[in-house]
Amino acid sequence: MTTTVPTAGPTPTPATASVSGAGSATVTASPVAAAVPGGGLGGFDRLLEAVVGERAAAVRNVPATLTCFTDHFPRHPVLPGVLLLESMAALARTAAGPGTWRLAAVRGVRFKHFVGPGDQVHLAVEVTAHGPHRTECRATARAGGRVVATARVLALVSDETTREGTA
């Protein structure tokens, strides 16, 4: 499924999404509402592109009003790395496609530069392995024209799979 969201304007407009496979179909829907369960954006502000099973791109704005900046750190505010990682995971869930996906493992995370108030972070996720119950992605976050964080592997599992130690 390919979804492209216009970059201009604060309100996402309906776009055409095409699904290829045995029975091809074209569906018109709100791309943002379709991308994230419940229609929210959990972790990023604007979805730029989503190709299920292949890749996704989004933007996260970092406002100076985030409460984490008062404690992390008062004289040099820095966005906590875990919030940046959650944004990458939210975008990976979008790239994984429909269903409920949870983060199972993260490997090779590197934080290269600080992200502060007023920064705009461009997130990109590339799917490296995709199946009905497990998806693995590689993620990159850029701000100010430079790479600020990378994740070599974000492993997602479908909530429909049986968890270890359960029946």
Side-chain angles (χ1 to χ4, degrees), residues 99-118:
T100 305
W101 296 91
R102 63 181 170 81
L103 191 60
V106 178
R107 290 190 293 278
V109 177
R110 302 285 185 262
F111 296 103
K112 300 176 180 223
H113 297 283
F114 294 117
V115 175

Side-chain angles (χ1 to χ4, degrees), residues 2 15 19 23 30 44 60 64 82 94-95 98 102 123 137 157-158 164 166:
T2 303
V19 179
S30 172
F44 50 88
R60 178 186 179 150
V82 70
T94 300
R102 63 181 170 81
L123 305 160
C137 301
V157 294
S158 171
E164 199 171 307
T166 62

Side-chain angles (χ1 to χ4, degrees), residues 18-94:
S18 62
V19 179
S20 60
S24 293
T26 301
V27 180
T28 302
S30 172
V32 174
V36 179
L41 288 177
F44 50 88
D45 295 313
R46 187 175 64 213
L47 182 63
L48 301 175
E49 176 186 37
V51 181
V52 172
E54 291 182 30
R55 67 184 176 278
V59 172
R60 178 186 179 150
N61 295 311
V62 184
T65 57
L66 286 177
T67 57
C68 63
F69 289 138
T70 58
D71 297 330
H72 198 265
F73 298 97
R75 285 186 226 147
H76 182 65
V78 175
L79 183 71
V82 70
L83 295 180
L84 197 54
L85 185 60
E86 175 53 35
S87 294
M88 290 190 270
L91 189 58
R93 284 189 290 274
T94 300

